[in-house]
Amino acid sequence: MSEEVEPIHAYGFFTVSEALEVNEIVVYEYIDYNRYYASVARDLDRLNRELEKLMSGMQHYLDSEEVVINGERVRPRVIGASLGFRGDPEEPYIVFFIQFRGRPRRGLNYYENIYEEEEAEYPYEAYWVFPSNAKVEDVECSGTSEIIEGRIVTIRVEEGEKVMGYEKITFRLS
């Protein structure tokens, strides 16, 4: 990625099945005044090499985290990536498709993520949607969180906010 490409915002969308299969879509938005990604997108071979490099970088980042479901470490895997533009070649976004799975239990379950503390370079949000037979009990995270209708979690972190390097969502499955 060109050093002139500046991340400005990110979104993470997580859907959780009753079998604790987690499908994650992460979207990073950028400002790219030199149109680096626009030039990459014009050449299919170059685009594919760039996406492979981005997927490898994201996988390396995920491998540095410790993701745990119900006491068992799980391994998120990047299964794809895509490049798009918000209508202007100076406003690219990268989408990563990630999957992982835990072993569900009746009653109380939990997801934990342990990673390096940092300061948020840009604002981001995460949205978790649990299955209809789930009820979220508690959320521990940096930023602000909200539980909606008992099974949807929103997390918001502002630019410059200290990120503690730990997340935990506790939920019940009936």
Side-chain angles (χ1 to χ4, degrees):
M1 179 184 336
S2 168
E3 291 179 14
E4 301 298 318
V5 178
E6 177 185 340
I8 58 169
H9 200 263
Y11 301 92
F13 303 94
F14 300 76
T15 58
V16 182
S17 75
E18 289 183 34
L20 289 191
E21 295 169 327
V22 180
N23 287 293
E24 175 182 357
I25 298 172
V26 179
V27 181
Y28 290 95
E29 297 178 320
Y30 300 92
I31 290 292
D32 180 7
Y33 294 116
N34 290 334
R35 299 182 177 195
Y36 170 76
Y37 279 124
S39 71
V40 167
R42 286 192 289 271
D43 179 330
L44 186 57
D45 288 336
R46 189 172 169 207
L47 173 61
N48 287 333
R49 284 192 307 274
E50 183 73 19
L51 290 174
E52 285 295 325
K53 186 170 81 174
L54 289 166
M55 288 172 56
S56 177
M58 175 59 82
Q59 188 63 61
H60 179 74
Y61 176 78
L62 292 172
D63 290 344
S64 73
E65 299 181 341
E66 185 177 344
V67 179
V68 175
I69 296 179
N70 293 331
E72 184 178 325
R73 185 161 185 185
V74 297
R75 306 281 181 182
R77 293 285 169 234
V78 177
I79 61 168
S82 179
L83 168 66
F85 299 89
R86 291 185 320 259
D88 185 323
E90 293 177 356
E91 298 178 337
Y93 60 88
I94 308 271
V95 181
F96 292 97
F97 303 93
I98 300 164
Q99 291 181 327
F100 56 98
R101 181 181 184 153
R103 292 187 200 184
R105 3 186 232 214
R106 273 190 125 17
L108 205 57
N109 291 263
Y110 68 92
Y111 156 87
E112 282 182 299
N113 190 0
I114 303 157
Y115 49 94
E116 198 168 314
E117 287 184 15
E118 63 186 1
E119 183 177 300
E121 295 178 34
Y122 43 83
Y124 63 88
E125 291 88 36
Y127 302 93
W128 287 79
V129 179
F130 288 85
S132 59
N133 69 330
K135 180 176 184 328
V136 175
E137 299 282 329
D138 190 44
V139 178
E140 293 177 52
C141 64
S142 298
T144 58
S145 65
E146 179 181 8
I147 300 170
I148 301 170
E149 297 294 319
R151 66 182 192 98
I152 299 169
V153 174
T154 65
I155 299 170
R156 289 182 174 79
V157 175
E158 297 299 326
E159 180 178 355
E161 193 169 341
K162 183 176 169 113
V163 179
M164 67 179 156
Y166 180 77
E167 299 170 8
K168 184 175 185 179
I169 302 174
T170 305
F171 57 99
R172 289 193 180 280
L173 291 174
S174 56

